[in-house]
Amino acid sequence: MNQFVLTCCSTADMKKTYFDERQIPYVCFHYLMDGVSYPDDLGQSMPFDEFYNRISKGAMPTTSQVNVAEFHDFFGAILEEGKDILHISLSSGISGTYNSACSAVEELKEEYPDRKILVVDSLGASSGYGITMERRLHVHHWFFSTDLTSFKRGGRISATSAMLGTVLNICPLMNMDHEGHLIPRHKIRTKKKAMQEAVRMMEEH
C-alpha cells in the first residue's frame, strides 16, 4: 500500500505549527488588501494582529480561492514523490475550491495513472474544518460576531441594520448546515448571551 499524505486548505485556520507538527501540507488561498496580493499563509506574510488592525482602520480585504493550476502544482509535487493524497477541502457550500481540486485531480490522473488522489468536502470552515477530517457530519460549527462592520461592507446587511444592530449590541449567531452552507440562526443581544447560547446549542447537539 502506498503512503498517503493528508492535505488541506489554509482556510482550516489552525496555527502553522499545528500542521507542521502533524506533517499536513496545506495549499494557500489568497487575499487582496490595499491593492497588494498576499497568500493566506497562516500569518507568515502578514501577522494576524496587523491584518485585523488594518481592517479596523477601514481596509477591505477580498479573498480568492485556490485555482485549478495551483492545485495541479500542489498535488503534483506530492505525487512526484510517489505518494498518494487524501485532500480535505473547504466546504463546497461557501467556496468553489472543492470543484477546483476535483478538476485538478482529473488532469493529474492522466499524468499519474498509478497514484490515488481522494478529495473530501469537509462541509466546514475555519477551525471547525481544521479539526474535523473524516467525522465531518459529527462536528457542529457555531460562529458569532460582535462587529457588524464586515457584514455591512460585504452587502450582507444594510447600513441601517448595521447601525441599529450596533446600537442594540446584536451578535448574530450562525452555524454550518449539513450541506456546508453558513446559516444565520439567531440575533442575540450582548456577546455574553451569544456565547451562552452557542454553548447551549453545542450541549443540545
Side-chain angles (χ1 to χ4, degrees):
M1 180 178 178
N2 295 319
Q3 179 183 357
F4 264 91
V5 175
L6 181 65
T7 66
C8 66
C9 305
S10 61
T11 44
D13 286 345
M14 305 297 277
K15 292 182 179 179
K16 184 177 184 298
T17 53
Y18 177 92
F19 298 116
D20 290 344
E21 291 169 358
R22 293 162 177 78
Q23 298 182 318
I24 302 175
Y26 54 89
V27 59
C28 293
F29 271 57
H30 307 274
Y31 62 91
L32 187 70
M33 180 180 280
D34 298 328
V36 180
S37 179
Y38 299 90
D40 175 27
D41 54 5
L42 309 181
Q44 302 306 297
S45 297
M46 183 186 296
F48 292 125
D49 55 353
E50 179 182 348
F51 177 82
Y52 289 111
N53 184 50
R54 287 195 188 187
I55 291 177
S56 69
K57 292 181 179 179
M60 296 180 63
T62 56
T63 58
S64 58
Q65 66 187 39
V66 184
N67 61 40
V68 177
E70 289 170 322
F71 270 120
H72 186 284
D73 292 344
F74 177 69
F75 291 151
I78 297 172
L79 296 173
E80 191 65 30
E81 296 176 354
K83 300 175 182 177
D84 295 333
I85 300 170
L86 172 60
H87 181 74
I88 312 297
S89 172
L90 175 67
S91 171
S92 63
I94 58 176
S95 172
T97 303
Y98 171 77
N99 291 330
S100 294
C102 290
S103 295
V105 168
E106 290 305 311
E107 295 179 358
L108 289 163
K109 282 181 178 179
E110 297 183 6
E111 299 176 40
Y112 300 90
D114 297 328
R115 299 269 71 80
K116 293 181 180 179
I117 316 176
L118 305 177
V119 180
V120 176
D121 186 350
S122 72
L123 300 181
S126 194
S127 55
Y129 160 32
I131 63 175
T132 183
M133 297 311 182
E134 289 302 314
R135 295 181 60 80
R136 59 180 183 163
L137 295 182
H138 298 274
V139 176
H140 288 266
H141 305 256
W142 287 94
F143 308 82
F144 70 88
S145 176
T146 58
D147 185 353
L148 301 179
T149 305
S150 295
F151 292 93
K152 181 183 71 174
R153 290 177 179 173
R156 295 180 181 274
I157 60 175
S158 67
T160 301
S161 295
M163 180 187 69
L164 291 174
T166 299
V167 170
L168 295 173
N169 203 11
I170 296 295
C171 297
L173 183 63
M174 301 160 280
N175 80 333
M176 307 286 285
D177 66 12
H178 277 189
E179 294 182 347
H181 301 105
L182 185 60
I183 308 296
R185 297 299 185 184
H186 307 290
K187 297 177 181 177
I188 300 174
R189 295 187 66 178
T190 77
K191 176 181 178 180
K192 181 179 179 180
K193 289 182 180 179
M195 292 175 66
Q196 291 173 339
E197 180 63 12
V199 171
R200 189 187 73 79
M201 296 304 295
M202 286 188 285
E203 290 176 343
E204 179 179 324
H205 294 284

